[in-house]
Each structure stands twice: as structure tokens, then as C-alpha cells.
Amino acid sequence: MPYVNTMDILEKAHKEYYAVAAFNINNLEFLQAIIEGGLEKRSPLIIETSEGAMKYAGMGDPLRGARVFVNMVREFADSMDIPIALHLDHGKDFNYILAAIKAGYSSVMIDASDKPFEENMQSTKEIVKIAHAVGVSVEAELGKLAGIEDNVVSAETVLVNPDEAKQFVEETGVDFLAPAIGTSHGAFKFKGEAKLDYDRLKKVKELTGIPLVLHGASSVVQEMVEIAERYGADFGGSKGVPSEILKETVKLGINKVNTDTDLRMAFIAGLREFLHNDSKEFDPRKYMKTAKKYVTKVVSDRLELLGSAGKA
Ligand code: G3H
Ligand code: 13P
Ligand code: ZN
């Protein structure tokens, strides 16, 4: 199956009411582990990189980093029989977004969600025009993701306004949208009970009718936290979005579920376990084996949970 446009994957998910996980990578090993999970579950895959990942992979040069990722992902995609797309996550700097487009990413996110509504719309329109001209699809974000403490949305969090979402989608022509409904990035999402604004999500779906994205969607997998902590990590107080809540958001119209933290935690759990049990090994291909195995397990479980297993 060739390297595909992200919309090819998301259109189908949107029509059939399931979601595809989008997994963040920074290097080859995470990509290999994710592909392993996708093949095992016969699922389409969206691979994504942050601007930071582009800079990291390119040794300070984002365009070079973008090319590294495109070459890696294309090379696997072209010889695999599941659809695979490459997406730029949280593009905030036009130079990075243009570099991703130039390098051949399947889609880009323009994240101007910290700007006033009109400015967010303007920036999104500009990127949509450039990206669509070369067959690249675009994600934007409305509302702001921040921390939630004791179920009180913190001062910086602004949940999406559904009427604004409708206007935004109509005027910008954006392909898929991330509405803020109460999640946050990282491993410490909720202090009390996990809670998202389902009504708001439902309204955004009804009013926009396009694929929707859930950011900050890691579950903070307890099994991985326990393994990591058994071998020296301290992830006290970590909490993610429970599986039942993720399933509910998929029923209400989420089609892309961004996942980074869960993979990072799985990798570190495996790495710590291996290094604890083998003090002599120094070949990275061997000491990363358990880490990759745990990443693949988290990937496979997530693809199954979100309903994309068997959809490739
Ligand atoms: O949403 C952000 C992703 O988790 C990537 O984070 O900037 O540390 O690569 P990063
Ligand atoms: P997590 O930190 O919950 O994995 O979220 C990742 C994300 O939203 C990337 O855009
Ligand atoms: Zn995000």
C-alpha cells in the first residue's frame, strides 16, 4: 500500500464511526514498533512528528529533519500492505509547516489556537491554500488545551465554542479539526475523576460534519507505569484518559486520537526492565528490544480499542 494522504484514512473512519490513533515519533525505533502494531492489527496508521522532532532528527535543521522522516516513513509504507500517513503535529511556526509540506508530509497541523479566533482563522486559511495546492491536508485546533485540576478547568483552558467551530470550518476549508473538550498533554491530566465535555463534542460534530481529533488522549497505561516504577521510575500522580472515555468520544465523532505519552512510558518501562535484568548488554539493538515490544503492545491495544483494527 502506498504512502497515503491522511484524509484517505480519516474519511473512511469518519464515515464508519471509528478512530485511528496518530502516534508521535522522534526516531526509527518508535516507528518500527508502531508499524509492527499496525501490521499485527491490520490497521491504517498515522505517524506524526512535532516541530521539536523535526529539529531533533535534522540535527537543528527542520527541513532536513522533515526529509529524514518522510524518507523513513515512505520507505516502510511503500513496502507494507497497510495505509500509512505522515502528519506534522502542532505546527506553530510557518517555516516548519512549509518545510513539512516541501519535504512531502501527507498532512500538517496549523496550531494557532493560542491566538484570537480571527487570527487563528486567518493563519489556517493561508496554510490551507498552500497545502491544498500540493495535495496536503490540514488540521487546525480550536480552544486551548491546558491542565484540569480537581475537575475545574484551569484558567488557561478554553473549551471549543461549537458555533465558532462551524464558522471556522466553513471559512477556512480545513480538513479535520481538533476541538478542546477538556484533555491536556502529558502524563498528568486529571487530579480528580477524568471528565470530558461530551455535549460540546457532539455539537461540534453535528455542526462541522468533518473528522475530529482528540489531542492529549494518552491513557497512561497502568501496566506500563507499574513496570517502570518497579525498575526505578517515579510517575506518582500520573493519570490519563480512561479507555471507556476514549470509546465514548469515538462514538461521538472523534476519528484521530493523538498519542505520545503512552508510547514514551511504554518505551521507558521496557528499557528500564531490560537494563535492570542485564547489566552486561551494550548493543542498542538488543537493549531496546523490550522497549520496542512494550511500545508495540500499547499500539496494538489502542488500535483495537479505537476500532481501526481490521480496517486496513
Ligand atoms: O503534543 C505534543 C507531543 O507530545 C510532542 O511533544 O514537542 O515534546 O515532541 P514534543
Ligand atoms: P498525549 O500527551 O496525551 O500523548 O498527547 C499527545 C498529543 O496530543 C500530540 O499532539
Ligand atoms: Zn496535541
Side-chain angles (χ1 to χ4, degrees):
M1 188 95 40
Y3 177 69
V4 299
N5 188 307
T6 310
M7 268 313 269
D8 293 350
I9 293 176
L10 290 181
E11 278 288 8
K12 188 170 185 289
H14 169 68
K15 280 194 193 117
E16 298 179 20
Y17 272 81
Y18 63 87
V20 177
F23 297 110
N24 287 71
I25 64 162
N26 290 278
N27 62 18
L28 173 68
E29 284 73 19
F30 276 75
L31 177 60
Q32 292 171 329
I34 294 162
I35 289 178
E36 197 73 48
L39 289 172
E40 192 181 302
K41 291 293 171 184
R42 307 297 315 150
S43 170
L45 289 173
I46 301 170
I47 306 296
E48 56 187 21
T49 77
S50 64
E51 291 180 343
M54 279 167 67
K55 198 167 166 193
Y56 169 77
M59 294 174 73
D61 178 341
L63 178 58
R64 183 164 57 198
R67 288 190 170 128
V68 167
F69 287 126
V70 169
N71 283 321
M72 272 196 324
V73 173
R74 281 199 91 112
E75 194 55 44
F76 284 110
D78 288 346
S79 56
M80 302 283 169
D81 58 355
I82 53 171
I84 305 180
L86 175 63
H87 176 72
L88 171 66
D89 189 30
H90 294 287
K92 286 182 176 281
D93 181 329
F94 267 46
N95 293 321
Y96 280 73
I97 300 174
L98 297 180
I101 294 172
K102 192 170 174 191
Y105 274 49
S106 319
S107 56
V108 292
M109 176 182 188
I110 157 74
D111 180 4
S113 59
D114 54 339
K115 301 279 186 329
F117 180 69
E118 288 295 334
E119 215 177 304
N120 185 355
M121 233 174 14
Q122 196 47 45
S123 301
T124 304
K125 257 189 218 171
E126 280 175 46
I127 294 299
V128 165
K129 197 172 165 204
I130 297 165
H132 282 185
V134 289
V136 170
S137 48
V138 181
E139 172 183 347
E141 178 168 319
L142 270 181
K144 289 178 201 166
L145 266 70
I148 292 191
E149 298 191 352
D150 295 326
N151 295 323
V152 177
V153 178
S154 78
E156 322 89 83
T157 301
V158 180
L159 299 185
V160 63
N161 172 329
D163 294 319
E164 281 188 353
K166 178 177 162 52
Q167 184 192 350
F168 188 92
V169 167
E170 283 171 2
E171 290 192 26
T172 60
V174 76
D175 302 289
F176 42 112
L177 180 73
I181 55 163
T183 55
S184 60
H185 292 116
F188 305 90
K189 300 184 193 296
F190 307 97
K191 273 198 175 159
E193 189 200 343
K195 214 172 158 210
L196 300 182
D197 195 332
Y198 292 148
D199 287 344
R200 209 174 277 268
L201 170 59
K202 198 162 172 252
K203 279 191 199 127
V204 173
K205 190 73 176 188
E206 280 165 11
L207 291 172
T208 62
I210 64 169
L212 298 180
V213 184
L214 189 67
H215 280 253
S218 277
S219 295
V220 181
V221 180
Q222 202 46 40
E223 184 191 353
M224 296 302 153
V225 170
E226 279 169 21
I227 296 171
E229 291 196 326
R230 195 179 310 146
Y231 300 110
D234 177 4
F235 296 144
S238 57
K239 190 166 188 172
V241 184
S243 303
E244 316 79 67
I245 293 189
L246 281 183
K247 271 187 146 169
E248 193 57 34
T249 66
V250 174
K251 276 192 205 148
L252 295 172
I254 290 292
N255 307 110
K256 174 173 177 277
V257 173
N258 282 19
T259 310
D260 189 356
T261 298
D262 280 354
L263 303 193
R264 293 178 178 194
M265 290 181 113
F267 193 91
I268 201 70
L271 191 58
R272 280 181 178 277
E273 181 185 288
F274 186 95
L275 294 177
H276 174 87
N277 292 330
D278 190 335
S279 54
K280 298 199 187 304
E281 188 55 68
F282 53 85
D283 180 340
R285 293 165 301 185
K286 294 186 180 147
Y287 66 63
M288 284 197 274
K289 226 172 168 176
T290 316
K292 286 168 66 177
K293 186 177 83 182
Y294 287 170
V295 171
T296 298
K297 180 176 182 349
V298 167
V299 165
S300 299
D301 289 351
R302 187 149 275 236
L303 297 174
E304 193 70 51
L305 177 85
L306 299 175
S308 69
K311 298 288 186 182

